Amino acid sequence: MAACACGRGSSFAPMDCATGDRLRARPPDGTYFRLTLKTPPAIRIGRLWMTPKASTAGHDDAFRLKYSGSGSLIKQGTVAVQAAVTDFLKQEDNPVETLPKGDSWSVHKFGGTCVGTWERIWNVAGIIVNDSSLRKLVVVSAMSKVTDQMYILLKKAENKDDSYEADLAQIHKRHTESAIALLKEGTELDRFLDTLKSDVQNLQAILRAVYIAGHCTESFSDFIVGHGELWSAQLLAATVRKRGLSCTWMNAWDILVVDPTTPNQVDPDFEASVKKMDAWYSKNATDTIIVTGFIASTSDNVRTTLKRDGSDFSAAIFAALLKAKEVTIWTDVDGVYSADPRKVSEAVILDTLTYQEAWELSYFGAYVLHPRTIMPVMRYDIPITIRNVFNISAQGTKISSYVSSNAETSLHENEPEGCSSVKGFATIDNVALINVEGTGMAGVPGTASEIFGAVKDAGANVIMISQASSEHSVCFAVPQREARAVAKALEEKFHRALAARRLSRVDVIPNCCILAAVGQRMASTPGVSATLFSALAKANINVRAIAQGCSEYNVTIVVDQQDSVRALKAVHSRVYLSKTTMSVGIVGPGLIGGTLLKQLNEQAATLKEEFNIDLRVMGILGSKSMLLDDRAISLDSWKHLLKENGEPADIHRFTDHLRSSNSIPNKVIVDCTASADIAKYYYQWIKKGIHVITPNKKANSGPLDQYLRLRDLQRQSYTHYFYEATVGAGLPIISTLRGLLETGDKILRVEGIFSGTLSYIFNCFNGEKPFSQIVLEAKDSGYTEPDPRDDLSGMDVARKVTILAREIGLKLELENVQPDSLVPEPLREGCSIEEFLNKLPDYDEKIEEMRAEAERCNEVLRYVGIVDVENGKGSVRLERYSRSHPFAQLSGSDNIISFRTKRYNAQPLIVRGPGAGAEVTAGGVFCDILRLASYLGAPS
Ligand SMILES: NC(=O)C1=CN([C@@H]2O[C@H](COP(=O)(O)OP(=O)(O)OC[C@H]3O[C@@H](n4cnc5c(N)ncnc54)[C@H](OP(=O)(O)O)[C@@H]3O)[C@@H](O)[C@H]2O)C=CC1
Ligand SMILES: N[C@@H](CC=O)C(=O)O
Ligand code: NA
């Protein structure tokens, strides 16, 4: 496309450029005019826009010419660009460029890490070029560490340490190498290197003077350190131009005017600054300005800086000067986290925050923005977005006046309101509480003023205050290192009141931590405090003091320092995780445990999506090795991981690991062993608030006193203990019994075939195969206990009878149930499972005789268990039943259990079905996990 450059007055030269090009012409008289060609082609000259007529779009000589400000049409028709420009320039009222303000501007700020290397500067230039805003102002910090290095070399010069020269040379080298890498060659590079060299020479002279004088004034110091920004801004501007976008760099020393208020603070002078900026723009009109962060001048034109977080502040001030539509603070994190992610791995990036929320969070130590930074943009309601320069796909956190709840973006709609109004959490560590107490304070005006006057005199900073409305005590928090001095100052000030007992004491409670929950909607939401305090109570964390300001933007809680991280995790998880998120520990990944892990893996996604139940297996413990994971073990590869990454089994570490997963509200251990030793841990686990689920019968059929102690503990706590699979595997035996009992029925007798193994054996034992072979089949089918003698001895059935009897309320010991053992006497003890199975065929004859004898009477053998409630007894025995008896009608591993009760008297309630096997048993255990989830509040 043929086009032209233009200039004010009569001096401009025609140029060629193509559609999509943007360029700026600098006429010989030093004034600036810009020519911008966009797609669809459009040309702007000064404040004039030229766009092709719709009918001839794409042709190079058809333009409408209008003022960009007013949009009024000046000329329309087919004109040559040069002619149009000439027309325009001939106009007498040819307008002078003034700085436009408003929505057309977007402001970006890139911190030191964003421009730490030449590759990063290149990347930043790409972000600027790709921003489609009409106008952009980009604030840039010095390359990472340069400001600190400047301060250090300055100190060295003051201390007559010659190595400052080498340090400066190093900084010079770093910028030179970066410039060469970015700009390669040509006038841009030459110009930058010349400037850099001359600046460095000046600095060498200044530093030499400092070296000789042994002192440097603050304004000199500010002048010296501010060079880092000067260089990065010029280098970035040159790089942006190299990447094809016209831009001009701006030195904030010439623009920003500030009034120093305290040694660490300055107030911007907006009026003076905007005048300077207008003047600058009239000479340097451009759509893209790259400006130095951090630096400014006083009204006397003395160089200064904006102090801490200076570049963020620069961006906010420039945004306010321009009344920009938005500010983007580019950094190296994806946004503002709901809590420190180093402490809470579950912390999430917040989509939005209000100015006040950002303010509160940063006060409490979260990295957001310094409140001072927010003020200029708040004034014009300009949103600030914090984004990650290394992950531009992340949307970042937008800080504005818009009030939202985290529920709008979040995971669990089923949570109560009280949760979603809390946005973030932060802690201030190492504080001490000072408690001033005494009856003489009530109703005495000025006491608080005297207390805080003394604190001020001690030079301490009060972080929070809490006073009971009875006025008998005032409690406040100060940094721990200031506590002693504060207490001393108070004791001195109130020594008379203390002596007269009007004040009883001034206490220092050291080693505390402040936990703040922040959220603007907390103000109008009932239940927020209750939610937080119940989360802390559940995590067994003691609350020392509480404060909530009238603004209700935050609730501040003081806890012991040692509980700091646990407290943070507990409240965070209560708000950000589904309350049915469970940390699951599996003990015994054998047949049942392994099948359960497989079922969990298959069903996890559905449970999460449809029922908001989030199950995370965080530990697997075998007898020799264990696998722990802070987040969740991959259930696709747990076997491989356990083998490859497993560590020696240690049940205490396993328990601690699960317990310390404080970011997860609920913990459950599923014991899938047959071990009595493991069952002994249930008591401790429940005591620690860990729920227990098991198919292992050892705890409930073990010593009666231990069983009763366990049940007592569990009933007093809010911790659950489920064991449905201990009787009848996945069949609903325990739950049926409980349903009958809890609804007031009276159980008279429970009777049935409780062993899947023995059921299978006698269902198949019809004379065709030897007894020992059928035992092997039962084992191979996964029906038997790890040691099949537990089944054949009747002990497994005896345990089930004991469990049911106790459930009904009988005080039965396992020893009271004497089962008929089918294990031949010589094989009962002293031989391994393998030896037992090998030798069992030697004893087939005896049991075959029993079977044949029964058959002769048209009867079958069945192994039954009975709970005789009326007589308080349990029994287990091998019986003969006629072929027509229901017990003779079973197949496979079927269990059949009949409940004769007051309500089900004439006809008992019968439950029947497969009562052993990996899938049905693991399914029964899984049901208990879901039962637990529903007790914890999962939707039904
Ligand atoms: N099979 C069935 O149909 C039913 C079984 N049950 C019950 O399920 C439980 C499991 O049976 P099943 O899976 O067949 O047994 P397995 O022998 O297949 O698995 C037991 C697991 O427990 C582990 N284990 C043993 N002792 C310890 C210990 N001290 N610490 C950590 N881990 C240990 C074993 O680890 P390692 O391999 O490393 O030794 C193994 O992984 C039993 O209590 C059983 O009564 C309940 C109802 C039905
Ligand atoms: N070995 C047991 C398994 C279930 O408890 C049985 O056979 O019933
Ligand atoms: Na069951």
Side-chain angles (χ1 to χ4, degrees), residues 21-174:
D21 275 0
R22 294 175 136 233
L23 57 90
R24 199 186 71 201
R26 182 200 279 264
D29 68 357
T31 56
Y32 290 81
F33 286 95
R34 283 148 303 112
L35 174 66
T36 307
L37 297 179
K38 289 184 185 167
T39 308
I43 293 183
R44 205 177 87 164
I45 302 162
R47 287 177 61 209
L48 290 177
W49 276 100
M50 288 179 286
T51 52
K53 274 204 304 191
S55 58
T56 55
H59 290 245
D60 52 359
D61 60 351
F63 293 93
R64 277 193 299 238
L65 193 57
K66 43 179 155 170
Y67 279 109
S68 62
S70 66
S72 60
L73 202 65
I74 296 175
K75 195 167 176 77
Q76 186 170 0
T78 305
V79 291
V81 176
Q82 193 165 345
V85 173
T86 311
D87 269 2
F88 165 60
L89 294 171
K90 279 183 191 153
Q91 289 175 62
E92 283 188 357
D93 62 346
N94 180 11
V96 172
E97 288 279 7
T98 53
L99 176 66
K101 316 248 170 24
D103 273 3
S104 60
W105 286 100
S106 63
V107 172
H108 294 264
K109 178 255 161 172
F110 293 93
T113 40
C114 303
V115 290
T117 62
W118 74 263
E119 291 94 336
R120 291 182 182 183
I121 296 175
W122 184 258
N123 177 46
V124 164
I127 293 174
I128 298 168
V129 171
N130 291 326
D131 174 4
S132 59
S133 310
L134 193 54
R135 299 189 177 92
K136 311 158 220 186
L137 178 136
V138 177
V139 176
V140 63
S141 302
M143 290 178 82
S144 56
K145 303 208 174 74
V146 166
T147 308
D148 286 346
Q149 287 165 352
M150 295 289 246
Y151 276 120
I152 291 169
L153 66 85
L154 184 55
K155 265 273 149 281
K156 284 184 173 177
E158 276 187 313
N159 294 334
K160 301 198 186 304
D161 175 349
D162 290 311
S163 66
Y164 79 86
E165 288 176 340
D167 292 354
L168 183 61
Q170 186 55 41
I171 293 173
H172 186 182
K173 183 165 173 258
R174 182 173 167 199

Side-chain angles (χ1 to χ4, degrees), residues 176-205:
T176 306
E177 287 173 357
S178 301
I180 293 169
L182 285 163
L183 306 173
K184 312 288 184 220
E185 57 185 7
T187 47
E188 287 278 17
L189 178 65
D190 296 344
R191 200 178 328 145
F192 178 77
L193 292 181
D194 286 351
T195 308
L196 180 65
K197 192 172 163 197
S198 126
D199 286 347
V200 169
Q201 280 166 352
N202 290 341
L203 288 177
Q204 281 166 338

Side-chain angles (χ1 to χ4, degrees), residues 319-538:
L321 293 179
L322 293 168
K323 303 199 175 48
K325 76 165 184 283
E326 62 189 1
V327 179
T328 307
I329 304 276
W330 292 91
T331 174
D332 55 359
V333 288
D334 282 350
V336 180
Y337 281 93
S338 51
D340 185 340
R342 290 164 302 184
K343 294 178 182 165
V344 182
S345 56
E346 308 284 338
V348 295
I349 295 288
L350 299 168
D351 290 345
T352 61
L353 280 176
T354 64
Y355 296 120
Q356 284 83 359
E357 287 166 343
W359 196 316
E360 294 282 340
L361 278 175
S362 54
Y363 175 80
F364 286 102
Y367 170 74
V368 190
L369 288 174
H370 193 278
R372 203 160 48 105
T373 310
I374 296 171
M375 252 149 7
V377 289
M378 256 178 99
R379 188 166 151 194
Y380 297 105
D381 206 358
I382 301 168
I384 306 182
T385 305
I386 296 179
R387 292 188 62 184
N388 190 349
V389 75
F390 306 114
N391 179 19
I392 52 174
S393 61
Q395 289 307 299
T397 302
K398 186 170 185 174
I399 301 169
S400 69
S401 56
Y402 171 69
V403 183
S404 73
S405 77
N406 66 32
E408 284 176 24
T409 49
S410 120
L411 354 123
H412 38 103
E413 299 122 33
N414 304 315
E415 290 298 295
E417 262 285 281
C419 289
S420 61
S421 63
V422 185
K423 284 291 192 61
F425 297 94
T427 49
I428 302 180
D429 289 334
N430 301 318
V431 300
L433 279 179
I434 311 281
N435 191 34
V436 184
E437 214 173 293
T439 46
M441 291 197 306
V444 182
T447 311
S449 147
E450 280 192 59
I451 290 173
F452 293 110
V455 178
K456 177 176 167 268
D457 295 344
N461 178 33
V462 177
I463 306 172
M464 66 152 260
I465 305 169
S466 160
Q467 181 184 3
S469 60
S470 70
E471 300 182 44
H472 285 154
S473 73
V474 174
C475 162
F476 56 93
V478 294
Q480 172 117 333
R481 59 180 182 279
E482 291 166 2
R484 268 284 118 233
V486 170
K488 195 160 165 264
L490 286 168
E491 278 157 5
E492 277 167 15
K493 185 143 199 166
F494 291 103
H495 73 276
R496 283 216 184 91
L498 283 163
R501 309 295 301 154
R502 275 183 286 116
L503 278 191
S504 51
R505 58 177 185 246
V506 175
D507 275 344
V508 176
I509 304 160
N511 304 322
C512 293
C513 151
I514 288 181
L515 167 67
V518 170
Q520 194 147 347
R521 288 185 19 151
M522 285 161 69
S524 52
T525 313
V528 175
S529 308
T531 305
L532 300 177
F533 292 120
S534 85
L536 292 173
K538 255 183 136 182

Side-chain angles (χ1 to χ4, degrees), residues 695 697 725-729 754-758 782-785 791 796 800 895 915-917 921:
K697 300 151 199 118
T726 54
V727 184
F754 290 97
S755 166
T757 301
L758 295 173
Y783 302 150
T784 68
E785 294 303 292
D791 298 287
D796 178 69
K800 290 166 177 165
N895 280 191
T921 307

Side-chain angles (χ1 to χ4, degrees), residues 555-866:
V555 173
T556 306
I557 300 165
V558 181
V559 299
D560 287 342
Q561 178 62 50
Q562 61 178 14
D563 293 331
S564 162
V565 175
R566 279 199 320 120
L568 188 61
K569 286 180 173 177
V571 289
H572 185 275
S573 64
R574 182 63 195 86
V575 170
Y576 276 93
L577 291 184
S578 147
K579 67 181 173 193
T580 45
T581 301
M582 279 189 240
S583 164
V584 183
I586 305 280
V587 186
L591 179 66
I592 305 302
T595 309
L596 175 66
L597 284 163
K598 184 198 77 168
Q599 292 180 357
L600 285 171
N601 193 22
E602 287 163 357
Q603 197 60 9
T606 309
L607 287 174
K608 196 165 174 193
E609 272 160 37
E610 291 179 19
F611 301 99
N612 201 22
I613 298 171
D614 187 356
L615 301 175
R616 305 179 187 187
V617 177
M618 300 181 69
I620 298 176
L621 173 74
S623 63
K624 295 183 189 65
S625 62
M626 67 178 180
L627 183 65
L628 307 178
D629 195 303
D630 284 337
R631 297 181 78 84
I633 295 168
S634 158
L635 296 189
D636 283 330
S637 51
W638 69 267
K639 275 189 193 150
H640 171 78
L641 292 169
L642 182 61
K643 198 164 160 233
E644 297 301 317
N645 307 348
E647 38 192 313
D650 178 339
I651 194 153
H652 301 290
R653 275 198 54 224
F654 175 85
T655 306
D656 286 348
H657 170 76
L658 211 73
R659 190 169 171 242
S660 64
S661 57
N662 272 314
S663 57
I664 299 195
N666 311 292
K667 290 109 191 165
V668 54
I669 293 182
V670 185
D671 169 22
C672 294
T673 70
S675 162
D677 289 341
I678 298 293
K680 284 190 189 133
Y681 285 95
Y682 297 179
Y683 188 86
Q684 300 182 18
W685 289 340
I686 289 174
K687 211 155 187 197
K688 288 176 175 161
I690 303 175
H691 309 286
V692 178
I693 289 173
T694 189
N696 178 0
K697 300 151 199 118
K698 298 292 160 40
N700 283 11
S701 60
L704 182 64
D705 57 338
Q706 288 178 25
Y707 165 79
L708 292 174
R709 194 166 154 258
L710 176 67
R711 298 312 307 265
D712 273 357
L713 171 75
Q714 181 259 319
R715 287 199 177 112
Q716 285 160 23
S717 70
Y718 288 95
T719 311
H720 300 284
Y721 172 41
F722 295 131
Y723 40 83
E724 178 59 83
T726 54
V727 184
L731 296 179
I733 306 300
I734 305 280
S735 51
T736 301
L737 186 54
R738 283 214 175 164
L740 295 170
L741 289 167
E742 283 165 13
T743 58
D745 202 351
K746 192 168 173 337
I747 313 293
L748 305 174
R749 186 180 175 90
V750 184
E751 179 174 6
I753 292 182
F754 290 97
S755 166
T757 301
L758 295 173
S759 179
Y760 177 82
I761 290 171
F762 289 110
N763 291 338
C764 299
F765 193 33
N766 55 12
E768 287 174 13
K769 289 185 223 166
F771 183 79
S772 57
Q773 189 186 328
I774 306 171
V775 170
L776 272 182
E777 283 173 16
K779 181 168 176 9
D780 292 346
S781 303
Y783 302 150
T784 68
E785 294 303 292
D787 184 341
R789 283 172 290 188
D790 284 339
D791 298 287
L792 293 177
S793 66
M795 190 48 80
D796 178 69
V797 179
R799 288 189 185 281
K800 290 166 177 165
V801 163
T802 306
I803 291 169
L804 292 183
R806 288 177 178 178
E807 201 67 28
I808 295 165
L810 302 185
K811 302 256 184 303
L812 202 68
E813 287 282 11
L814 184 60
E815 295 77 51
N816 302 140
V817 186
Q818 288 295 330
D820 288 343
S821 179
L822 304 180
V823 182
E825 186 83 46
L827 304 184
R828 286 184 190 170
E829 271 164 23
C831 68
S832 68
I833 298 174
E834 225 180 13
E835 285 166 342
F836 158 72
L837 290 169
N838 286 338
K839 288 183 184 159
L840 191 60
D842 300 348
Y843 301 88
D844 278 339
E845 209 170 308
K846 191 169 168 227
I847 187 112
E848 170 56 25
E849 270 170 27
M850 287 169 74
R851 187 201 66 77
E853 174 62 28
E855 192 177 54
R856 276 192 287 279
C857 306
N858 206 23
E859 287 176 346
V860 292
L861 296 174
R862 292 294 180 262
Y863 203 93
V864 296
I866 298 158

Side-chain angles (χ1 to χ4, degrees), residues 863-875:
Y863 203 93
V864 296
I866 298 158
V867 183
D868 179 352
V869 184
E870 284 167 317
N871 295 305
K873 281 190 182 151
S875 53

